Amino acid sequence: MRKKFVAGNWKMFTTSATARQLAAAVVRGLGDEQGVAVAICPPFPYLSIVAETLQGSRVVLGAQNCYHEQEGAFTGEVSPAMLVDVGCRYVILGHSERRHKLGETDAFINRKVHAALAAGLDVILCLGETLEERQAHRTEAVLEAQLMGSLAGLEAAALRRMVLAYEPVWAIGTGQNATPQQAQQAHAFIRGHIRQHFGAEAASALLIQYGGSVKPDNAASLFHQADVDGGLIGGASLNADHFLAIVRAALA
Ligand code: 13P
């Protein structure tokens, strides 16, 4: 039985003060609950502040991106080793906003996945199709290409330190979530791909989060699907009550 995992992706929101408050409210609300794993992923400048707030709690820290070198002359980039140093356990890679707004390719994401794992971070790898791709019945072909490209060169053992997040681009920030059936179908396809390429054990242990307009009122029906192992939450993770309600939906 896979334990569900809910992570908050704060994107480019919060200030140092609101980041601290939000993290503290999540810590308080979660208490000693052990039935679900919870992570929050603040912007880079607030990682250390939030790390302090999370100390001694069950909430773990993640970052939203990293570079694929551990150090060097790469102005403006942040290395996986630095993220480990400030207390991160996870890094989100391949988010659709980085793929589509910043031009990240599967090959580039793949280099970061290798570097992050080598530095000791666990990876939340995002994938998902655009509306045009879905309408052209290309969802599975797109997921297949993203999986092949971004997981290239990894062994089955590496999958134990990865979480996949299915985030259909048309559902992100739009209020139009995938239906539970659409999510289940994509998740089952992803798990099938992992089974085929990395074996049955890796596939059955793998956590696959759903992301895209998850809210307190739709979380439970999404999380009840057989292959949906929690969620990657954007907008709703900026409100502690909403985020905690989503976390509780993963327990039901
Ligand atoms: P929303 O929950 O705001 O749709 O964002 C989802 C997301 O992109 C999480 O990474």
Side-chain angles (χ1 to χ4, degrees):
M1 181 71 180
R2 297 182 292 267
K3 190 199 269 194
K4 291 208 173 2
F5 177 29
V6 177
N9 173 8
W10 292 1
K11 306 194 179 183
M12 201 171 73
F13 292 104
T14 68
T15 64
S16 53
T18 61
R20 200 190 305 268
Q21 285 159 13
L22 183 53
V26 171
V27 166
R28 262 197 316 277
L30 187 68
D32 195 32
E33 178 56 62
Q34 306 192 13
V36 55
V38 177
I40 51 182
C41 306
F44 287 138
Y46 309 138
L47 285 170
S48 290
I49 291 170
V50 170
E52 261 176 46
T53 310
L54 298 188
Q55 257 178 24
S57 83
R58 304 195 61 82
V59 182
V60 303
L61 187 66
Q64 300 173 19
N65 182 36
C66 69
Y67 195 57
H68 59 73
E69 298 284 352
Q70 302 302 338
E71 64 174 11
F74 303 103
T75 301
E77 293 296 333
V78 173
S79 81
M82 292 169 181
L83 297 180
V84 171
D85 187 33
V86 297
C88 288
R89 157 95 184 273
Y90 287 99
V91 63
I92 298 171
L93 294 174
H95 193 279
S96 75
E97 286 147 18
R98 300 204 63 84
R99 291 175 184 270
H100 296 290
K101 297 181 181 171
L102 293 149
E104 291 198 4
T105 63
D106 285 311
F108 186 52
I109 294 161
N110 178 245
R111 287 206 288 276
K112 299 193 204 198
V113 170
H114 280 273
L117 292 172
L121 288 168
D122 290 355
V123 172
I124 301 175
L125 175 71
C126 304
L127 40 150
E129 80 288 358
T130 63
L131 185 59
E132 297 71 52
E133 289 163 345
R134 174 161 283 265
Q135 285 171 341
H137 307 288
R138 293 190 51 238
T139 298
E140 293 188 353
V142 169
L143 295 177
E144 174 86 15
Q146 290 175 340
L147 286 163
M148 291 302 286
S150 45
L151 298 179
L154 293 178
E155 307 282 338
L159 266 288
R160 279 194 228 123
R161 300 196 21 236
M162 295 191 66
V163 173
L164 299 187
Y166 170 61
E167 299 207 306
V169 180
W170 48 272
I172 295 177
T174 59
Q176 193 203 342
N177 60 288
T179 65
Q181 293 70 28
Q182 285 172 322
Q184 169 57 25
Q185 204 173 7
H187 284 226
F189 175 80
I190 292 167
R191 199 178 303 283
H193 173 100
I194 298 299
R195 189 175 301 113
Q196 198 185 338
H197 292 267
F198 296 93
E201 205 181 313
S204 69
L206 180 71
L207 296 183
I208 309 177
Q209 296 175 322
Y210 166 78
S213 297
V214 180
K215 306 290 175 203
D217 62 356
N218 62 22
S221 59
L222 288 158
F223 295 168
H224 279 151
Q225 300 301 307
D227 287 294
V228 178
D229 305 310
L232 184 55
I233 319 301
S237 73
L238 295 168
N239 176 305
D241 291 338
H242 293 182
F243 184 64
L244 288 162
I246 292 168
V247 168
R248 279 192 288 274
L251 287 165

